[in-house]
Amino acid sequence: MPPILTDDEQVTLRRVAYGQSEVRAMRKEDLGRLRRLRLIEESKDGPRLTPEGKECFDLLPKAASLGSSGHYDELLEKLDSQSLPRRR
């Protein structure tokens, strides 16, 4: 059973998995706990997922597809109604 991670730790695990964030932009507390849980390890390019970390990452909830619900359309309508008046 994978460890229970806080929302912040999940974000940090995703950032490590995608390799798109610099270490200094990640929470030190999260990195420390993920290391203690052996979900990440150091490499010459910064932290990377361990095999256990990859399994945990694969179990994290994924972002919903934009086309799968009306929430995206609702958001766009709300933003459009709050935007500045259009120039003519």
Side-chain angles (χ1 to χ4, degrees), residues 1-3 5 9-10 12-19 34 37-41 47-62:
M1 177 174 234
L5 302 177
E9 291 165 347
Q10 289 180 27
T12 301
L13 187 69
R14 285 183 179 98
R15 287 180 170 182
V16 171
Y18 295 129
L34 295 174
L37 293 170
R38 299 175 200 251
L39 299 178
I40 64 171
E41 62 188 6
R48 68 175 177 197
L49 296 181
T50 62
E52 296 85 3
K54 173 79 169 95
E55 286 178 29
C56 187
F57 170 75
D58 289 341
L59 294 173
L60 291 177
K62 304 299 183 245

Side-chain angles (χ1 to χ4, degrees), residues 12-29:
T12 301
L13 187 69
R14 285 183 179 98
R15 287 180 170 182
V16 171
Y18 295 129
Q20 295 176 337
S21 295
E22 294 183 26
V23 174
R24 64 183 175 174
M26 293 186 241
R27 293 171 38 105
K28 286 191 276 186
E29 301 85 10

